[in-house]
Amino acid sequence: EDQVTQSPEALRLQEGESSSLNCSYTVSGLRGLFWYRQDPGKGPEFLFTLYSAGEEKEKERLKATLTKKESFLHITAPKPEDSATYLCAVQVNSGSRLTFGEGTQLTVNP
Amino acid sequence: KAGVTQTPRYLIKTRGQQVTLSCSPISGHRSVSWYQQTPGQGLQFLFEYFSETQRNKGNFPGRFSGRQFSNSRSEMNVSTLELGDSALYLCASSLTLYEQYFGPGTRLTVT
């Protein structure tokens, strides 16, 4: 069974304090690993897709990396508007469904 | 380009009733997936439709069903509602097998 575990469950940072979120996964045949951002009461917003170990993608203050067992979402000099729940999901070769982790709730204080 | 739209946004139903939720995908997207999000279980996959055919199904009881129309719009139906069906129901559309773009969700409350 595909498993996705995110840590920490919650993270509180000061504005400008860089950190990383972790997503570890156990799947058979990874097709892609996805990062989403979700604000309260809204649907998840697509951030990145990573397909193979060693791949990196960046968007503004966010950088996602992938190894064979885990992915990291690095947040550089975060701002209060980066506060949200960050979700990691995997898709395997056998289908289209996404299997999600429980998410990391990030709070950035000014 | 308009995003994924879902109607209604909020719904209150009574146990035993049935409900139909609607999803309009991004123009040109032919795949529509449905997910249930609850505080205890997180985001869980319900089913996926592509070209009016159910292509994939999650581990939910038969009370949960869906369909897709020729214009790619999709509906999901939940019959004989239970208190545990209270959740945010999310629809996602995709052009390929990869990136899925989510709508704002329908918040269903069962009393």
Side-chain angles (χ1 to χ4, degrees):
Chain A
E1 186 180 326
D2 304 329
Q3 286 196 319
V4 181
T5 304
Q6 291 189 245
S7 61
E9 290 184 12
L11 181 63
R12 190 177 294 271
L13 299 173
Q14 287 299 122
E15 185 171 2
E17 179 187 2
S18 302
S19 187
S20 296
L21 313 183
N22 178 265
C23 171
S24 62
Y25 61 92
T26 305
V27 299
S28 298
L30 180 72
R31 173 181 283 158
L33 185 139
F34 303 80
W35 282 99
Y36 287 86
R37 167 194 170 129
Q38 187 174 26
D39 294 297
K42 296 187 176 181
E45 175 190 346
F46 172 77
L47 293 173
F48 304 109
T49 308
L50 302 167
Y51 298 110
S52 56
E55 189 175 2
E56 300 182 351
K57 287 192 177 174
E58 289 188 65
K59 179 181 179 181
E60 296 180 357
R61 295 176 293 282
L62 300 176
K63 178 180 176 180
T65 62
L66 181 66
T67 72
K68 288 186 178 180
K69 294 182 179 180
E70 58 191 349
S71 176
F72 292 93
L73 184 65
H74 307 278
I75 304 176
T76 302
K79 298 181 178 182
E81 53 261 43
D82 294 322
S83 297
T85 295
Y86 290 85
L87 296 163
C88 165
V90 296
Q91 188 180 63
V92 298
N93 290 328
S94 59
S96 55
R97 76 173 67 187
L98 295 177
T99 300
F100 282 86
E102 292 295 320
T104 293
Q105 186 175 0
L106 174 67
T107 304
V108 182
N109 295 315
Chain B
K1 202 171 192 181
V4 177
T5 58
Q6 293 187 243
T7 57
R9 292 293 315 279
Y10 303 92
L11 208 48
I12 300 175
K13 290 286 187 178
T14 304
R15 271 181 302 175
Q17 289 186 316
Q18 76 167 15
V19 66
T20 299
L21 312 181
S22 181
C23 170
S24 292
I26 293 171
S27 178
H29 288 195
R30 294 169 62 190
S31 171
V32 173
S33 298
W34 288 89
Y35 294 82
Q36 180 196 65
Q37 186 174 30
T38 60
Q41 299 296 318
L43 268 153
Q44 292 188 297
F45 174 80
L46 281 157
F47 29 66
E48 185 225 356
Y49 286 86
F50 181 84
S51 293
E52 302 179 65
T53 301
Q54 187 181 89
R55 191 160 65 173
N56 214 338
K57 189 177 188 305
N59 296 324
F60 279 82
R63 300 185 297 106
F64 291 82
S65 63
R67 60 178 175 168
Q68 187 180 34
F69 303 94
S70 59
N71 61 358
S72 294
R73 190 177 70 86
S74 178
E75 289 181 347
M76 69 163 282
N77 183 276
V78 188
S79 62
T80 319
L81 284 166
E82 301 177 358
L83 293 179
D85 296 334
S86 294
L88 181 66
Y89 289 89
L90 293 159
C91 165
S93 78
S94 65
L95 182 62
T96 67
L97 281 174
Y98 300 102
E99 291 88 11
Q100 294 184 20
Y101 297 90
F102 285 83
T106 294
R107 172 73 63 186
L108 172 65
T109 302
V110 183
T111 62

